[in-house]
């Protein structure tokens, strides 16, 4: 069976979508309506992923893998020559996991309280400032380098790219003031695999 990526256009499933294209692994895309928890054919998304969120990746043996930061490493390890992740068991790999965890828990999930209609203006401002600080950490790490790791683009950059797309919508100072975040964002956005993923999801 071909790998199947359950995705929603513009959601964080963009990160494994980019990883699949960068790795050159064959896959099918299955669109999920997150509000209705339905697939395009009317199927129940909870039957695919009981957690009810994207991304989810159906593997060749039928198992379903969830959690974006883990899915992208699985994809990278399918094609070691693509160098989308350092070798397992190295400190470089642990450093990548450190980034993936930071991106998932501090950057990606940092948007939740800001976008939550139940957060009042003061709380939103607090979370905006905190998120801004987190993106400045990303910016500092990128000073003088093209990508987060030492060996070219990796899946951590693909995930960071997704969070920077979300940041763009917030009109955030970190993105406007940092000399490195915008070029990093544009460098990743210009990659053929990234362009192909955006086009397949109907995004710009
Ligand atoms: N812990 C999950 C969270 C994924 C996540 O937040 N997915 C969002 C889209 S970006 C979603 O599907 N939200 C719908 C929901 O939670 O019901 C991961 O890291 O992969």
């Amino acid at each position: 069976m071909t790998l199947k990526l359950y995705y929603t256009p513009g959601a964080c499933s963009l990160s494994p979508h980019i990883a699949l294209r960068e790795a050159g692994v064959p896959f099918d895309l299955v669109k999920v309506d997150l509000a209705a928890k339905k697939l395009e054919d009317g199927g129940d998304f909870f039957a695919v992923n009981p957690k009810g969120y994207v991304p989810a990746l159906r593997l060749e043996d039928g198992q379903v893998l969830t959690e974006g930061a883990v899915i992208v490493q699985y994809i990278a390890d399918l094609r070691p020559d693509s160098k989308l992740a350092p070798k397992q068991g190295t400190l470089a790999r642990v450093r990548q996991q450190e980034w993936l965890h930071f991106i998932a828990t501090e950057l990606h999930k940092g948007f939740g309280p800001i976008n939550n209609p139940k957060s009042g203006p003061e709380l939103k401002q607090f979370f905006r400032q905190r998120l801004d600080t987190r993106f400045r950490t990303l910016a500092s790490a990128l000073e003088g380098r093209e990508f987060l790791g030492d060996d070219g683009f990796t899946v951590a950059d693909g995930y960071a790219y997704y969070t920077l797309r979300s940041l763009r919508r917030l009109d955030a100072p970190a993105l406007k003031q940092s000399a490195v975040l915008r070029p990093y964002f544009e460098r990743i956005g210009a990659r053929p695999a990234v362009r192909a993923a955006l086009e397949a999801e109907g995004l710009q």
Side-chain angles (χ1 to χ4, degrees), residues 5-18 54-56 162 201:
L5 178 67
Y6 294 86
Y7 84 107
T8 299
C12 53
S13 40
L14 179 63
S15 156
H17 187 179
I18 289 170
V54 293
Y162 158 73
E201 296 197 17

Side-chain angles (χ1 to χ4, degrees), residues 1 3 15 35 39 55 60 97 140 154 163 167 179 187 189-191 194:
M1 201 200 301
L3 294 178
S15 156
L39 309 178
E60 290 181 352
Q97 288 166 335
S140 305
T154 72
T163 64
L167 190 67
R187 195 175 309 131
R191 295 176 69 81
V194 176

Side-chain angles (χ1 to χ4, degrees), residues 4 7 13 20 31 62 74 94 96 116 128 140 167 185:
K4 272 193 174 63
Y7 84 107
S13 40
L20 284 162
K31 202 190 232 175
Y74 176 83
V94 177
Q96 182 185 69
N116 189 330
R128 263 175 178 271
S140 305
L167 190 67
F185 178 67

